[in-house]
Amino acid sequence: QVQLVDSGGGLVQPGGSLRLSCAASGSIFSIYSMGWYRQAPGKQREMVAMRLSTGTTSTEDSVKGRFTISTDNAKNTMYLQMSSLKPEDTAVYYCFLSQGSHVYWGQGTQVTVSS
């Protein structure tokens, strides 16, 4: 019902910034939660940031104050603005959208923070 395509990953130096995009299409209802997960080599997938259907936002402690989630409703696109990037932020980032009992995922985009 919903398709997500995430993009914007790449190579960035420590301290740099990057913005990830997630374009959504399909049957998107007014009430949904959305956000980003990431999976680093040798680690389990972890939630990075999300926005609940209530409007409440939540971020993982290690990225709090550095990562911000936002949306462009006209384009049905959500973003993850990342600043002050650290090598430990290196991971594949996946956007997700939760609608009712369904959860949809993007294909993932690689973010590499290298000195």
Side-chain angles (χ1 to χ4, degrees):
Q1 294 182 354
V2 177
Q3 297 80 45
L4 303 178
V5 178
D6 44 24
S7 61
L11 176 64
V12 64
Q13 292 183 325
S17 299
L18 203 63
R19 188 178 74 163
L20 306 183
S21 300
C22 179
S25 62
S27 301
I28 304 173
F29 304 135
S30 60
I31 302 176
Y32 59 88
S33 300
M34 61 185 181
W36 297 82
Y37 273 74
R38 69 183 180 186
Q39 187 166 29
K43 294 184 178 181
Q44 296 181 347
R45 182 176 294 188
E46 65 175 356
M47 191 274 290
V48 177
M50 69 179 299
R51 183 182 185 274
L52 302 177
S53 60
T54 59
T56 301
T57 59
S58 179
T59 56
E60 196 270 330
D61 287 343
S62 67
V63 306
K64 190 168 296 182
R66 300 189 298 118
F67 290 12
T68 302
I69 188 171
S70 63
T71 60
D72 184 337
N73 292 330
K75 297 182 178 180
N76 286 330
T77 301
M78 52 181 159
Y79 304 95
L80 183 66
Q81 180 65 54
M82 305 183 294
S83 301
S84 301
L85 285 163
K86 305 174 181 179
E88 49 264 45
D89 294 319
T90 296
V92 178
Y93 286 72
Y94 303 86
C95 65
F96 72 90
L97 187 150
S98 178
Q99 187 175 73
S101 62
H102 302 283
V103 180
Y104 306 94
W105 294 90
Q107 80 284 356
T109 184
Q110 175 71 48
V111 173
T112 302
V113 185
S114 178
S115 60

